[in-house]
Structures are given as C-alpha cells and as structure tokens.
Short mmCIF file of all heavy atoms in Angstrom, two decimals:
data_model
loop_
_atom_site.label_atom_id
_atom_site.label_comp_id
_atom_site.label_asym_id
_atom_site.label_seq_id
_atom_site.Cartn_x
_atom_site.Cartn_y
_atom_site.Cartn_z
N MET A 1450 -147.70 40.83 70.19
CA MET A 1450 -146.47 40.89 71.08
C MET A 1450 -146.55 39.89 72.34
O MET A 1450 -145.64 39.24 72.55
CB MET A 1450 -146.21 42.32 71.57
CG MET A 1450 -144.90 42.47 72.34
SD MET A 1450 -143.53 42.14 71.30
CE MET A 1450 -142.29 42.92 72.19
N LEU A 1451 -147.83 39.93 72.93
CA LEU A 1451 -147.88 38.95 74.11
C LEU A 1451 -147.83 37.57 73.65
O LEU A 1451 -147.19 36.78 74.34
CB LEU A 1451 -149.30 39.30 74.81
CG LEU A 1451 -149.65 38.35 75.89
CD1 LEU A 1451 -148.59 38.57 76.98
CD2 LEU A 1451 -151.03 38.64 76.45
N ILE A 1452 -148.44 37.25 72.45
CA ILE A 1452 -148.49 35.83 71.95
C ILE A 1452 -147.03 35.44 71.68
O ILE A 1452 -146.62 34.31 72.00
CB ILE A 1452 -149.39 35.67 70.87
CG1 ILE A 1452 -150.80 35.84 71.32
CG2 ILE A 1452 -149.16 34.43 70.09
CD1 ILE A 1452 -151.89 35.80 70.17
N ARG A 1453 -146.23 36.33 71.13
CA ARG A 1453 -144.87 35.99 70.73
C ARG A 1453 -144.10 35.70 72.09
O ARG A 1453 -143.34 34.83 72.13
CB ARG A 1453 -144.19 37.05 69.99
CG ARG A 1453 -142.86 36.83 69.55
CD ARG A 1453 -142.19 37.74 68.67
NE ARG A 1453 -142.95 38.97 68.30
CZ ARG A 1453 -142.45 40.06 67.93
NH1 ARG A 1453 -141.06 40.16 67.77
NH2 ARG A 1453 -143.18 41.14 67.66
N ASN A 1454 -144.34 36.54 73.10
CA ASN A 1454 -143.60 36.41 74.39
C ASN A 1454 -144.08 35.03 75.01
O ASN A 1454 -143.25 34.28 75.64
CB ASN A 1454 -143.88 37.53 75.38
CG ASN A 1454 -143.12 38.79 74.94
OD1 ASN A 1454 -142.29 38.68 74.15
ND2 ASN A 1454 -143.66 39.84 75.39
N VAL A 1455 -145.37 34.61 74.88
CA VAL A 1455 -145.81 33.42 75.53
C VAL A 1455 -145.17 32.32 74.80
O VAL A 1455 -144.69 31.25 75.41
CB VAL A 1455 -147.35 33.29 75.44
CG1 VAL A 1455 -147.86 31.81 75.80
CG2 VAL A 1455 -147.93 34.33 76.43
N ARG A 1456 -145.15 32.32 73.47
CA ARG A 1456 -144.52 31.31 72.63
C ARG A 1456 -143.04 31.15 73.02
O ARG A 1456 -142.55 29.99 73.06
CB ARG A 1456 -144.71 31.51 71.20
CG ARG A 1456 -146.15 31.36 70.73
CD ARG A 1456 -146.33 31.72 69.23
NE ARG A 1456 -145.42 31.06 68.32
CZ ARG A 1456 -144.80 31.62 67.32
NH1 ARG A 1456 -145.09 32.87 66.96
NH2 ARG A 1456 -143.95 30.94 66.57
N LYS A 1457 -142.31 32.20 73.18
CA LYS A 1457 -140.95 32.19 73.47
C LYS A 1457 -140.74 31.57 74.85
O LYS A 1457 -139.83 30.73 75.10
CB LYS A 1457 -140.32 33.56 73.45
CG LYS A 1457 -138.90 33.68 73.58
CD LYS A 1457 -138.29 35.01 73.54
CE LYS A 1457 -136.83 35.05 73.88
NZ LYS A 1457 -136.24 36.43 73.66
N THR A 1458 -141.56 31.86 75.79
CA THR A 1458 -141.45 31.38 77.16
C THR A 1458 -141.70 29.88 77.15
O THR A 1458 -140.97 29.07 77.78
CB THR A 1458 -142.49 32.03 78.06
OG1 THR A 1458 -142.16 33.46 78.12
CG2 THR A 1458 -142.39 31.44 79.48
N LEU A 1459 -142.63 29.42 76.34
CA LEU A 1459 -143.04 27.98 76.36
C LEU A 1459 -141.87 27.21 75.69
O LEU A 1459 -141.45 26.11 76.21
CB LEU A 1459 -144.31 27.69 75.48
CG LEU A 1459 -145.53 28.11 76.07
CD1 LEU A 1459 -146.64 27.99 75.09
CD2 LEU A 1459 -145.87 27.32 77.38
N ASP A 1460 -141.22 27.83 74.68
CA ASP A 1460 -140.04 27.21 74.05
C ASP A 1460 -138.88 27.02 75.02
O ASP A 1460 -138.17 26.17 75.04
CB ASP A 1460 -139.64 27.93 72.76
CG ASP A 1460 -138.97 27.19 71.70
OD1 ASP A 1460 -139.19 25.86 71.69
OD2 ASP A 1460 -138.10 27.66 71.11
N THR A 1461 -138.64 28.19 75.76
CA THR A 1461 -137.59 28.14 76.72
C THR A 1461 -137.71 27.14 77.83
O THR A 1461 -136.82 26.45 78.20
CB THR A 1461 -137.42 29.65 77.43
OG1 THR A 1461 -137.10 30.59 76.35
CG2 THR A 1461 -136.36 29.68 78.45
N ILE A 1462 -139.04 27.05 78.32
CA ILE A 1462 -139.27 26.04 79.33
C ILE A 1462 -139.06 24.58 78.75
O ILE A 1462 -138.50 23.75 79.46
CB ILE A 1462 -140.71 26.16 79.90
CG1 ILE A 1462 -140.84 27.45 80.69
CG2 ILE A 1462 -141.06 25.10 80.84
CD1 ILE A 1462 -142.24 27.89 81.00
N ALA A 1463 -139.59 24.43 77.56
CA ALA A 1463 -139.31 23.13 76.88
C ALA A 1463 -137.72 22.78 76.85
O ALA A 1463 -137.31 21.67 77.09
CB ALA A 1463 -139.88 23.05 75.53
N GLU A 1464 -137.01 23.74 76.40
CA GLU A 1464 -135.49 23.54 76.28
C GLU A 1464 -134.94 23.23 77.65
O GLU A 1464 -134.08 22.33 77.72
CB GLU A 1464 -134.81 24.91 75.80
CG GLU A 1464 -135.11 25.08 74.27
CD GLU A 1464 -134.42 26.31 73.83
OE1 GLU A 1464 -133.54 26.90 74.46
OE2 GLU A 1464 -134.93 26.89 72.82
N HIS A 1465 -135.44 23.91 78.70
CA HIS A 1465 -134.83 23.63 80.03
C HIS A 1465 -135.18 22.22 80.50
O HIS A 1465 -134.42 21.56 81.12
CB HIS A 1465 -135.50 24.61 81.11
CG HIS A 1465 -134.94 25.98 80.89
ND1 HIS A 1465 -135.38 27.13 81.52
CD2 HIS A 1465 -133.93 26.50 80.01
CE1 HIS A 1465 -134.62 28.11 81.24
NE2 HIS A 1465 -133.80 27.90 80.35
N ASN A 1466 -136.45 21.84 80.10
CA ASN A 1466 -136.91 20.41 80.51
C ASN A 1466 -135.86 19.44 79.75
O ASN A 1466 -135.52 18.37 80.27
CB ASN A 1466 -138.26 20.14 80.04
CG ASN A 1466 -139.32 20.61 81.07
OD1 ASN A 1466 -138.95 21.41 81.91
ND2 ASN A 1466 -140.52 20.13 80.95
N GLU A 1467 -135.63 19.64 78.46
CA GLU A 1467 -134.79 18.77 77.74
C GLU A 1467 -133.35 18.84 78.29
O GLU A 1467 -132.78 17.69 78.36
CB GLU A 1467 -134.80 19.15 76.28
CG GLU A 1467 -136.12 18.88 75.56
CD GLU A 1467 -136.28 19.54 74.17
OE1 GLU A 1467 -135.57 20.53 73.92
OE2 GLU A 1467 -136.98 19.01 73.44
N ASP A 1468 -132.86 19.95 78.69
CA ASP A 1468 -131.61 20.04 79.24
C ASP A 1468 -131.53 19.22 80.59
O ASP A 1468 -130.57 18.48 80.98
CB ASP A 1468 -131.10 21.48 79.56
CG ASP A 1468 -130.83 22.18 78.25
OD1 ASP A 1468 -130.68 21.58 77.20
OD2 ASP A 1468 -130.87 23.52 78.28
N ALA A 1469 -132.52 19.39 81.40
CA ALA A 1469 -132.59 18.66 82.61
C ALA A 1469 -132.72 17.24 82.39
O ALA A 1469 -132.00 16.31 83.05
CB ALA A 1469 -133.77 19.17 83.51
N ALA A 1470 -133.36 16.66 81.39
CA ALA A 1470 -133.52 15.34 81.07
C ALA A 1470 -132.16 14.74 80.59
O ALA A 1470 -131.79 13.73 81.03
CB ALA A 1470 -134.52 15.18 79.94
N LEU A 1471 -131.40 15.53 79.93
CA LEU A 1471 -130.01 15.00 79.45
C LEU A 1471 -129.00 14.91 80.72
O LEU A 1471 -128.37 13.94 80.81
CB LEU A 1471 -129.51 15.98 78.40
CG LEU A 1471 -130.02 15.97 77.10
CD1 LEU A 1471 -129.55 16.98 76.16
CD2 LEU A 1471 -129.76 14.54 76.45
N ALA A 1472 -129.17 15.90 81.57
CA ALA A 1472 -128.31 15.84 82.74
C ALA A 1472 -128.73 14.71 83.65
O ALA A 1472 -127.88 14.00 84.19
CB ALA A 1472 -128.36 17.21 83.57
N LEU A 1473 -129.99 14.44 83.75
CA LEU A 1473 -130.44 13.34 84.59
C LEU A 1473 -130.14 12.02 83.89
O LEU A 1473 -129.87 11.09 84.62
CB LEU A 1473 -131.94 13.40 84.77
CG LEU A 1473 -132.60 12.62 85.84
CD1 LEU A 1473 -131.98 12.89 87.21
CD2 LEU A 1473 -134.17 12.87 85.98
N MET A 1474 -130.04 11.89 82.56
CA MET A 1474 -129.67 10.64 81.82
C MET A 1474 -128.27 10.38 82.17
O MET A 1474 -127.86 9.22 82.48
CB MET A 1474 -129.92 10.91 80.38
CG MET A 1474 -129.48 9.64 79.58
SD MET A 1474 -130.45 8.18 80.02
CE MET A 1474 -131.92 8.49 79.04
N ARG A 1475 -127.38 11.44 82.17
CA ARG A 1475 -126.04 11.13 82.50
C ARG A 1475 -125.90 10.67 83.93
O ARG A 1475 -125.13 9.71 84.23
CB ARG A 1475 -125.13 12.46 82.33
CG ARG A 1475 -124.89 12.89 80.87
CD ARG A 1475 -123.86 14.00 80.83
NE ARG A 1475 -124.29 14.93 79.68
CZ ARG A 1475 -125.01 15.91 79.74
NH1 ARG A 1475 -125.64 16.28 80.91
NH2 ARG A 1475 -125.16 16.63 78.70
N ALA A 1476 -126.57 11.18 84.82
CA ALA A 1476 -126.51 10.71 86.20
C ALA A 1476 -127.13 9.32 86.32
O ALA A 1476 -126.52 8.56 87.09
CB ALA A 1476 -127.36 11.66 87.14
N ALA A 1477 -128.23 9.03 85.64
CA ALA A 1477 -128.74 7.68 85.70
C ALA A 1477 -127.84 6.61 85.18
O ALA A 1477 -127.72 5.52 85.78
CB ALA A 1477 -130.06 7.67 84.86
N GLU A 1478 -126.93 6.97 84.23
CA GLU A 1478 -125.96 5.99 83.69
C GLU A 1478 -124.86 5.73 84.67
O GLU A 1478 -124.19 4.71 84.57
CB GLU A 1478 -125.24 6.56 82.39
CG GLU A 1478 -126.23 6.71 81.17
CD GLU A 1478 -125.71 7.47 80.07
OE1 GLU A 1478 -124.50 8.01 80.12
OE2 GLU A 1478 -126.33 7.43 78.96
N CYS A 1479 -124.70 6.65 85.56
CA CYS A 1479 -123.63 6.52 86.57
C CYS A 1479 -124.01 5.75 87.88
O CYS A 1479 -123.14 5.36 88.71
CB CYS A 1479 -123.02 7.89 87.01
SG CYS A 1479 -122.24 8.70 85.69
N THR A 1480 -125.29 5.62 88.17
CA THR A 1480 -125.76 4.98 89.32
C THR A 1480 -125.70 3.47 89.24
O THR A 1480 -125.96 2.96 88.21
CB THR A 1480 -127.17 5.59 89.77
OG1 THR A 1480 -127.41 4.99 91.05
CG2 THR A 1480 -128.31 5.08 88.79
N GLY A 1481 -125.31 2.93 90.34
CA GLY A 1481 -125.46 1.48 90.53
C GLY A 1481 -126.68 0.91 91.12
O GLY A 1481 -126.88 -0.25 91.17
N ASP A 1482 -127.52 1.87 91.59
CA ASP A 1482 -128.88 1.63 92.24
C ASP A 1482 -129.92 1.46 91.05
O ASP A 1482 -130.38 2.38 90.49
CB ASP A 1482 -129.15 2.73 93.22
CG ASP A 1482 -130.44 2.42 93.99
OD1 ASP A 1482 -131.31 1.67 93.43
OD2 ASP A 1482 -130.50 2.92 95.14
N GLU A 1483 -130.29 0.23 90.89
CA GLU A 1483 -131.25 0.00 89.75
C GLU A 1483 -132.64 0.64 90.05
O GLU A 1483 -133.27 1.05 89.08
CB GLU A 1483 -131.50 -1.49 89.54
CG GLU A 1483 -132.21 -1.97 88.32
CD GLU A 1483 -131.62 -1.20 86.95
OE1 GLU A 1483 -130.48 -1.03 86.94
OE2 GLU A 1483 -132.52 -0.97 86.09
N VAL A 1484 -133.09 0.64 91.32
CA VAL A 1484 -134.44 1.20 91.66
C VAL A 1484 -134.33 2.75 91.41
O VAL A 1484 -135.21 3.24 90.74
CB VAL A 1484 -134.80 0.91 93.13
CG1 VAL A 1484 -136.01 1.74 93.55
CG2 VAL A 1484 -135.05 -0.58 93.26
N LEU A 1485 -133.16 3.37 91.82
CA LEU A 1485 -133.06 4.79 91.64
C LEU A 1485 -132.91 5.06 90.12
O LEU A 1485 -133.64 6.02 89.50
CB LEU A 1485 -131.77 5.33 92.28
CG LEU A 1485 -131.48 6.83 92.04
CD1 LEU A 1485 -132.64 7.71 92.61
CD2 LEU A 1485 -130.08 7.06 92.79
N ARG A 1486 -132.18 4.17 89.32
CA ARG A 1486 -132.04 4.37 87.86
C ARG A 1486 -133.47 4.38 87.23
O ARG A 1486 -133.68 5.23 86.34
CB ARG A 1486 -131.13 3.27 87.36
CG ARG A 1486 -130.92 3.44 85.89
CD ARG A 1486 -129.84 2.35 85.48
NE ARG A 1486 -129.80 2.26 84.07
CZ ARG A 1486 -130.70 1.70 83.21
NH1 ARG A 1486 -131.84 1.19 83.73
NH2 ARG A 1486 -130.49 1.66 81.97
N GLN A 1487 -134.33 3.39 87.53
CA GLN A 1487 -135.66 3.31 86.99
C GLN A 1487 -136.48 4.55 87.31
O GLN A 1487 -137.20 5.02 86.49
CB GLN A 1487 -136.33 2.10 87.46
CG GLN A 1487 -135.68 0.76 86.90
CD GLN A 1487 -135.76 0.78 85.36
OE1 GLN A 1487 -136.76 1.09 84.70
NE2 GLN A 1487 -134.59 0.30 84.78
N GLN A 1488 -136.41 5.05 88.57
CA GLN A 1488 -137.10 6.25 88.98
C GLN A 1488 -136.65 7.38 88.02
O GLN A 1488 -137.41 8.17 87.53
CB GLN A 1488 -136.87 6.57 90.34
CG GLN A 1488 -137.66 5.56 91.31
CD GLN A 1488 -137.28 5.92 92.82
OE1 GLN A 1488 -136.27 6.35 93.06
NE2 GLN A 1488 -138.14 5.39 93.65
N MET A 1489 -135.34 7.61 87.92
CA MET A 1489 -134.72 8.61 87.11
C MET A 1489 -135.15 8.52 85.59
O MET A 1489 -135.45 9.53 85.03
CB MET A 1489 -133.22 8.55 87.18
CG MET A 1489 -132.62 8.97 88.61
SD MET A 1489 -130.99 8.64 88.65
CE MET A 1489 -130.22 10.18 88.36
N LEU A 1490 -135.28 7.32 85.09
CA LEU A 1490 -135.76 7.14 83.73
C LEU A 1490 -137.18 7.51 83.58
O LEU A 1490 -137.55 8.13 82.49
CB LEU A 1490 -135.50 5.68 83.27
CG LEU A 1490 -133.96 5.28 83.02
CD1 LEU A 1490 -133.89 3.76 82.80
CD2 LEU A 1490 -133.27 6.12 82.04
N ARG A 1491 -138.06 7.25 84.54
CA ARG A 1491 -139.42 7.73 84.57
C ARG A 1491 -139.48 9.27 84.54
O ARG A 1491 -140.19 9.90 83.82
CB ARG A 1491 -140.29 7.20 85.67
CG ARG A 1491 -140.63 5.75 85.46
CD ARG A 1491 -141.65 5.28 86.51
NE ARG A 1491 -141.06 5.20 87.78
CZ ARG A 1491 -140.45 4.06 88.15
NH1 ARG A 1491 -140.22 3.04 87.46
NH2 ARG A 1491 -139.99 4.01 89.50
N VAL A 1492 -138.59 9.91 85.30
CA VAL A 1492 -138.55 11.34 85.33
C VAL A 1492 -138.09 11.95 83.96
O VAL A 1492 -138.68 12.93 83.46
CB VAL A 1492 -137.74 11.93 86.58
CG1 VAL A 1492 -137.52 13.47 86.45
CG2 VAL A 1492 -138.38 11.49 87.90
N ILE A 1493 -137.05 11.29 83.52
CA ILE A 1493 -136.60 11.73 82.12
C ILE A 1493 -137.71 11.64 81.04
O ILE A 1493 -137.87 12.53 80.31
CB ILE A 1493 -135.47 10.78 81.78
CG1 ILE A 1493 -134.20 11.13 82.66
CG2 ILE A 1493 -135.02 10.97 80.34
CD1 ILE A 1493 -133.02 10.08 82.52
N HIS A 1494 -138.45 10.56 81.14
CA HIS A 1494 -139.50 10.39 80.17
C HIS A 1494 -140.59 11.51 80.30
O HIS A 1494 -141.00 12.04 79.38
CB HIS A 1494 -140.20 9.03 80.32
CG HIS A 1494 -141.32 8.86 79.46
ND1 HIS A 1494 -141.35 8.65 78.14
CD2 HIS A 1494 -142.71 8.89 79.72
CE1 HIS A 1494 -142.50 8.58 77.65
NE2 HIS A 1494 -143.40 8.63 78.61
N SER A 1495 -140.88 11.84 81.71
CA SER A 1495 -141.84 12.88 81.87
C SER A 1495 -141.41 14.26 81.37
O SER A 1495 -142.08 15.09 80.85
CB SER A 1495 -142.22 13.02 83.35
OG SER A 1495 -142.79 11.79 83.86
N LEU A 1496 -140.01 14.54 81.59
CA LEU A 1496 -139.53 15.80 81.29
C LEU A 1496 -139.55 15.90 79.71
O LEU A 1496 -139.95 17.03 79.16
CB LEU A 1496 -138.10 15.92 81.69
CG LEU A 1496 -137.92 16.21 83.21
CD1 LEU A 1496 -136.39 16.04 83.65
CD2 LEU A 1496 -138.21 17.72 83.58
N ASN A 1497 -139.20 14.96 79.00
CA ASN A 1497 -139.24 14.86 77.62
C ASN A 1497 -140.66 15.09 77.13
O ASN A 1497 -140.93 15.77 76.13
CB ASN A 1497 -138.55 13.69 77.02
CG ASN A 1497 -137.05 13.90 77.01
OD1 ASN A 1497 -136.47 14.95 76.84
ND2 ASN A 1497 -136.40 12.75 77.29
N GLN A 1498 -141.64 14.37 77.72
CA GLN A 1498 -142.95 14.45 77.27
C GLN A 1498 -143.57 15.83 77.50
O GLN A 1498 -144.27 16.48 76.57
CB GLN A 1498 -143.84 13.43 77.99
CG GLN A 1498 -145.25 13.28 77.46
CD GLN A 1498 -145.37 13.01 76.04
OE1 GLN A 1498 -144.84 11.98 75.59
NE2 GLN A 1498 -146.14 13.82 75.25
N ASP A 1499 -143.17 16.34 78.51
CA ASP A 1499 -143.64 17.79 78.90
C ASP A 1499 -143.09 18.79 77.90
O ASP A 1499 -143.74 19.60 77.45
CB ASP A 1499 -143.28 18.14 80.37
CG ASP A 1499 -144.05 17.48 81.44
OD1 ASP A 1499 -145.06 16.79 81.12
OD2 ASP A 1499 -143.68 17.58 82.65
N ALA A 1500 -141.80 18.60 77.51
CA ALA A 1500 -141.18 19.42 76.54
C ALA A 1500 -141.97 19.42 75.19
O ALA A 1500 -142.29 20.41 74.54
CB ALA A 1500 -139.74 19.08 76.30
N LEU A 1501 -142.27 18.18 74.91
CA LEU A 1501 -143.13 17.97 73.60
C LEU A 1501 -144.50 18.66 73.74
O LEU A 1501 -144.94 19.31 72.73
CB LEU A 1501 -143.18 16.43 73.28
CG LEU A 1501 -144.05 16.02 72.06
CD1 LEU A 1501 -143.30 16.59 70.86
CD2 LEU A 1501 -144.18 14.54 72.02
N ASP A 1502 -145.08 18.42 74.84
CA ASP A 1502 -146.43 19.01 75.02
C ASP A 1502 -146.33 20.59 74.96
O ASP A 1502 -147.24 21.23 74.42
CB ASP A 1502 -147.04 18.58 76.32
CG ASP A 1502 -147.43 17.13 76.36
OD1 ASP A 1502 -147.43 16.52 75.24
OD2 ASP A 1502 -147.59 16.55 77.47
N LEU A 1503 -145.33 21.16 75.57
CA LEU A 1503 -145.19 22.60 75.48
C LEU A 1503 -144.95 23.10 74.02
O LEU A 1503 -145.50 24.17 73.71
CB LEU A 1503 -144.00 22.94 76.37
CG LEU A 1503 -144.23 22.87 77.94
CD1 LEU A 1503 -142.94 23.08 78.57
CD2 LEU A 1503 -145.23 24.00 78.36
N ARG A 1504 -144.15 22.28 73.24
CA ARG A 1504 -144.01 22.79 71.93
C ARG A 1504 -145.23 22.68 71.15
O ARG A 1504 -145.48 23.49 70.13
CB ARG A 1504 -142.82 22.00 71.38
CG ARG A 1504 -141.51 22.37 71.95
CD ARG A 1504 -140.31 22.21 70.94
NE ARG A 1504 -139.26 22.95 71.34
CZ ARG A 1504 -138.33 22.51 72.25
NH1 ARG A 1504 -138.41 21.11 72.72
NH2 ARG A 1504 -137.20 23.09 72.56
N VAL A 1505 -146.09 21.66 71.34
CA VAL A 1505 -147.29 21.55 70.55
C VAL A 1505 -148.21 22.67 70.94
O VAL A 1505 -148.84 23.31 70.20
CB VAL A 1505 -148.05 20.21 71.06
CG1 VAL A 1505 -149.40 20.13 70.46
CG2 VAL A 1505 -147.24 19.02 70.46
N LEU A 1506 -148.27 23.04 72.30
CA LEU A 1506 -149.01 24.17 72.78
C LEU A 1506 -148.45 25.47 72.03
O LEU A 1506 -149.37 26.34 71.61
CB LEU A 1506 -149.00 24.24 74.24
CG LEU A 1506 -149.69 25.45 74.85
CD1 LEU A 1506 -151.22 25.38 74.63
CD2 LEU A 1506 -149.51 25.44 76.33
N ARG A 1507 -147.20 25.59 72.05
CA ARG A 1507 -146.61 26.76 71.36
C ARG A 1507 -147.01 26.87 69.90
O ARG A 1507 -147.49 27.92 69.46
CB ARG A 1507 -145.12 26.76 71.41
CG ARG A 1507 -144.37 27.86 70.77
CD ARG A 1507 -143.04 27.59 70.29
NE ARG A 1507 -143.05 26.39 69.41
CZ ARG A 1507 -141.98 25.61 69.17
NH1 ARG A 1507 -141.02 25.93 69.73
NH2 ARG A 1507 -142.20 24.67 68.27
N ASP A 1508 -147.08 25.66 69.35
CA ASP A 1508 -147.41 25.74 67.80
C ASP A 1508 -148.95 25.98 67.74
O ASP A 1508 -149.31 26.70 66.77
CB ASP A 1508 -147.13 24.51 67.14
CG ASP A 1508 -145.53 24.26 67.08
OD1 ASP A 1508 -144.81 25.16 67.15
OD2 ASP A 1508 -145.17 23.04 66.91
N ASP A 1509 -149.75 25.47 68.62
CA ASP A 1509 -151.15 25.78 68.59
C ASP A 1509 -151.47 27.27 68.78
O ASP A 1509 -152.34 27.83 68.13
CB ASP A 1509 -151.90 24.90 69.65
CG ASP A 1509 -152.03 23.46 69.34
OD1 ASP A 1509 -151.76 23.13 68.19
OD2 ASP A 1509 -152.32 22.67 70.21
N ILE A 1510 -150.66 27.74 69.62
CA ILE A 1510 -150.98 29.25 69.90
C ILE A 1510 -150.53 30.07 68.58
O ILE A 1510 -151.18 30.96 68.27
CB ILE A 1510 -150.14 29.82 71.07
CG1 ILE A 1510 -150.68 29.19 72.35
CG2 ILE A 1510 -149.99 31.27 71.13
CD1 ILE A 1510 -149.80 29.33 73.63
N ALA A 1511 -149.48 29.68 67.92
CA ALA A 1511 -148.98 30.28 66.76
C ALA A 1511 -150.06 30.19 65.70
O ALA A 1511 -150.40 31.18 64.99
CB ALA A 1511 -147.68 29.72 66.23
N LEU A 1512 -150.58 29.02 65.50
CA LEU A 1512 -151.68 28.82 64.41
C LEU A 1512 -152.97 29.60 64.88
O LEU A 1512 -153.53 30.25 63.91
CB LEU A 1512 -152.03 27.37 64.47
CG LEU A 1512 -150.95 26.42 63.75
CD1 LEU A 1512 -151.49 24.87 63.92
CD2 LEU A 1512 -150.77 26.81 62.27
N GLY A 1513 -153.29 29.66 66.15
CA GLY A 1513 -154.55 30.55 66.44
C GLY A 1513 -154.25 31.97 66.25
O GLY A 1513 -155.14 32.73 65.83
N SER A 1514 -153.09 32.45 66.43
CA SER A 1514 -152.76 33.88 66.21
C SER A 1514 -152.75 34.24 64.79
O SER A 1514 -153.16 35.29 64.31
CB SER A 1514 -151.44 34.30 66.83
OG SER A 1514 -150.27 33.75 66.20
N HIS A 1515 -152.31 33.20 63.90
CA HIS A 1515 -152.33 33.45 62.42
C HIS A 1515 -153.84 33.45 61.86
O HIS A 1515 -154.04 34.20 60.88
CB HIS A 1515 -151.43 32.39 61.76
CG HIS A 1515 -150.04 32.62 61.85
ND1 HIS A 1515 -149.33 33.79 61.40
CD2 HIS A 1515 -149.09 31.82 62.58
CE1 HIS A 1515 -148.16 33.58 61.67
NE2 HIS A 1515 -147.96 32.57 62.46
N LYS A 1516 -154.65 32.67 62.46
CA LYS A 1516 -155.97 32.59 61.95
C LYS A 1516 -156.78 33.97 62.27
O LYS A 1516 -157.59 34.28 61.60
CB LYS A 1516 -156.77 31.40 62.70
CG LYS A 1516 -156.39 30.07 62.20
CD LYS A 1516 -157.06 28.94 62.79
CE LYS A 1516 -156.68 27.62 62.37
NZ LYS A 1516 -157.34 26.59 63.09
N ARG A 1517 -156.37 34.55 63.34
CA ARG A 1517 -157.04 35.83 63.71
C ARG A 1517 -156.50 36.98 62.89
O ARG A 1517 -157.18 37.86 62.70
CB ARG A 1517 -156.89 36.13 65.17
CG ARG A 1517 -157.71 35.33 66.10
CD ARG A 1517 -157.51 35.82 67.56
NE ARG A 1517 -156.94 34.59 68.17
CZ ARG A 1517 -156.09 34.56 69.16
NH1 ARG A 1517 -155.66 35.78 69.70
NH2 ARG A 1517 -155.59 33.52 69.75
N ALA A 1518 -155.41 36.87 62.34
CA ALA A 1518 -154.80 37.94 61.60
C ALA A 1518 -155.33 38.23 60.23
O ALA A 1518 -156.02 37.39 59.68
CB ALA A 1518 -153.24 37.76 61.49
#
C-alpha cells in the first residue's frame, strides 16, 4: 500500500511539473524580453526533465516491488 501511494505521489508531482512547464511555455511565447525568454526555456527544460526522472523512479519502484512479491 505504501509503495502504491509513493508511486501515485511521484506521478502527481510529475504531472504538476508538466503542467507548470506548459503554463511557463505560454508565458515565454508572450514575452518580448529575450533574456527572460531564454531563462524561462531553461526552467521549462528542467521541469520536463524532472518529470521524466520522477516517472523513471516511479517505474523503478514498481519493478522493485514486483520482484519482492
């Protein structure tokens, strides 16, 4: 049960990161400040990479729990 809750929490955080990245992408498209736009794009990349890493961790936890069963 704990492992399922951890996996669900990791997935939720990953989804929130992706949602934040999309919102930031829309904002980056609206800015005329190129320096700010580049900073925003780096943050977007980090949010998406973190979401990917969280999903990999979630999958690793799932595989580990199946091996023990």
